[in-house]
Amino acid sequence: MKLIKSLLLIFSCLLLPIVSYAWPTDTVRVQVLDDAATFGLKIDGRYEVRDAQDKKSLYRGRDLNSTVTAYAGGIIIAGNNFPANRIFININDPDVIEINTRPFRGDIQIIKSPSNRMSVINYIGLEDYVKGILYHEASHYWPMEALKAQAIVSRSYARYQMKENVSKDFDMTNDIYSQVYGGSISERQRTNKAVEDTQGAALFYKGELMPAFFHATCGGHTEDAARLWKINMPPLKGVPCKFCRESPHFNWHAVLFTGDIRQALVDSGKRTGVIKKIIIMARDDSSRITDLKIINTKADYVILAKDFRNIVGPNVIKSTNFNVSITGTDAVFEGVGWGHGVGLCQWGAYFMAKEGRTAEDILDYYYPGADVKTL
Ligand SMILES: [Zn+2]
């Protein structure tokens, strides 16, 4: 009986997800490198290498400037073989470490795949993380109230991702699909002040932390989140916005070779012949397109406008609010807005702050019914 019990215990341990390190709840895990065969790592100061699974200390060192590589049995740093698929490096003294010459704050985890490729996850305090991204999301010369609104939004979004991804290896990636994280090089005095002045503040709806989406410019009306994702909540239903009219991203224009559009659609698995016409089938209440029909020399088909935008390129087709016509082999797009359009319109916030509105006014406007609370 005892044996069966202990076997059961071992078995249930094996079934548990691998918890590599107990991080404090205010630490964000950002994937800063993925699928790398090697990378550069520089640490000026004291550090400790641990096996991320059993947390055993493997090495203590000082000052490192090395290329990290992987082998079948583990990870090699500065000539030391660490026989583990996941190692955690605690950074003790220095404020900043460098990964491929880019500076970061906090600790890192290196995860090796069976094919000996590595990803690097940066473990960073939430407030430091928000400082790191704020400069990229809203330039430091912006009015302070707009920066504060963005700090609250970015913190809420990060907190929400931390909650959603707790069983995964990381909370966010370092790209436009989550938040652009520049590491410590991105910090500026004014953006840091906006983070410090709003320390811990986040957006809630009916007591629950909100996924505080945001985008560059809505182009006249923000979008209902339910149109894009399985998120149906009153503060994310969309509001009219007259504030972003002077945004540098209000209007966009793109001329694309129809052969390139066809290729992108084919690469995504859509059987597509020569494109003859792109027809707008329907628009939603925010005047964004919901469906497009692709008239082509094979079989015509209908595609969701949001999928079309992602397939052709979200930075070329900057929004799903456009008109399109085909002239010869060119598709000419004339559109408004930049981004998915859900939540805070960043350029709207900029102009609201210029008119003297506070961060709270801005958040009340773009997330009606939501509350700002300090975590
Ligand atoms: Zn707007």
Side-chain angles (χ1 to χ4, degrees):
M1 194 61 194
K2 223 176 183 181
L3 179 69
I4 292 172
K5 262 191 185 163
S6 50
L7 278 176
L8 274 176
L9 188 68
I10 291 168
F11 191 62
S12 62
C13 286
L14 290 175
L15 287 178
L16 287 173
I18 295 159
V19 176
S20 33
Y21 186 76
W23 60 90
T25 50
D26 64 343
T27 300
V28 191
R29 301 164 304 153
V30 187
Q31 185 188 57
V32 293
L33 201 64
D34 185 28
D35 198 35
T38 67
F39 66 90
L41 177 62
K42 186 164 183 279
I43 304 170
D44 292 323
R46 290 189 297 122
Y47 64 93
E48 180 172 11
V49 181
R50 292 168 181 273
D51 183 318
Q53 271 147 350
D54 62 18
K55 293 172 204 164
K56 245 187 240 162
S57 180
L58 302 174
Y59 185 80
R60 284 201 181 96
R62 179 189 278 275
D63 300 339
L64 175 75
N65 193 355
S66 168
T67 299
V68 180
T69 54
Y71 67 104
I75 296 162
I76 305 174
I77 306 174
N80 290 315
N81 292 20
F82 296 108
N85 291 329
R86 288 162 180 258
I87 59 173
F88 197 87
I89 304 182
N90 283 103
I91 315 298
N92 294 324
D93 280 343
D95 269 355
V96 170
I97 61 165
E98 287 180 20
I99 296 164
N100 283 342
T101 72
R102 274 183 71 193
F104 291 93
R105 284 180 193 278
D107 300 327
I108 58 169
Q109 184 179 186
I110 305 170
I111 302 176
K112 181 186 86 74
S113 73
S115 55
N116 297 335
R117 311 288 288 187
M118 291 174 289
S119 61
V120 178
I121 319 294
N122 184 202
Y123 284 56
I124 180 172
L126 178 61
E127 297 299 315
D128 279 342
Y129 169 77
V130 179
K131 285 179 183 175
I133 58 170
L134 201 58
Y135 176 74
H136 282 276
E137 295 293 3
S139 299
H140 63 288
Y141 60 81
W142 277 34
M144 188 50 81
E145 292 302 309
L147 292 179
K148 281 160 68 177
Q150 181 68 49
I152 293 168
V153 165
S154 293
R155 185 182 295 109
S156 311
Y157 188 80
R159 267 276 176 190
Y160 185 81
Q161 295 301 325
M162 287 159 68
K163 203 175 91 185
E164 291 289 293
N165 297 304
V166 75
S167 62
K168 298 187 185 150
D169 283 333
F170 53 88
D171 305 310
M172 328 266 280
T173 54
N174 178 22
D175 61 34
I176 64 156
Y177 294 106
S178 42
Q179 301 203 35
V180 185
Y181 172 53
S184 67
I185 200 168
S186 311
E187 291 175 22
R188 295 293 185 280
Q189 202 185 344
R190 291 187 75 248
T191 45
N192 282 2
K193 183 173 176 355
V195 176
E196 284 154 15
D197 286 356
T198 61
Q199 193 182 346
L203 278 168
F204 288 77
Y205 178 66
K206 288 192 171 167
E208 292 282 323
L209 186 67
M210 263 192 60
F213 293 100
F214 59 94
H215 58 279
T217 296
C218 76
H221 202 294
T222 65
E223 177 67 305
D224 180 351
R227 294 266 176 203
L228 300 177
W229 311 292
K230 289 189 183 102
I231 294 172
N232 205 343
M233 57 164 71
L236 296 176
K237 284 284 155 200
V239 293
C241 169
K242 60 180 171 35
F243 302 103
C244 60
R245 195 151 283 281
E246 300 300 317
S247 157
H249 307 297
F250 191 86
N251 292 293
W252 62 270
H253 170 89
V255 180
L256 301 180
F257 174 47
T258 52
D260 290 341
I261 298 176
R262 176 191 179 183
Q263 193 57 51
L265 290 165
V266 168
D267 290 346
S268 77
K270 302 267 180 206
R271 218 172 87 89
T272 312
V274 176
I275 296 173
K276 296 292 181 191
K277 220 170 173 186
I278 300 172
I279 297 174
I280 294 162
M281 302 292 285
R283 292 178 186 266
D284 65 20
D285 295 341
S286 76
S287 85
R288 288 178 182 80
I289 301 164
T290 53
D291 308 278
L292 292 164
K293 191 168 193 176
I294 311 295
I295 308 293
N296 68 97
T297 53
K298 287 185 179 162
D300 300 344
Y301 60 87
V302 174
I303 182 171
L304 291 174
K306 64 173 182 176
D307 292 344
F308 179 83
R309 178 176 173 232
N310 282 330
I311 289 166
V312 177
N315 288 325
V316 181
I317 306 295
K318 290 188 168 180
S319 70
T320 52
N321 192 352
F322 57 76
N323 285 308
V324 54
S325 59
I326 291 182
T327 313
T329 56
D330 286 339
V332 182
F333 295 84
E334 300 288 349
V336 293
W338 190 4
H340 51 59
V342 179
L344 180 88
C345 167
Q346 290 176 304
W347 277 93
Y350 170 89
F351 286 105
M352 281 182 85
K354 283 222 148 187
E355 286 180 5
R357 316 280 188 105
T358 65
E360 292 245 351
D361 295 339
I362 293 167
L363 297 173
D364 274 349
Y365 189 80
Y366 289 106
Y367 306 95
D371 306 308
V372 176
K373 287 189 204 167
T374 300
L375 292 162

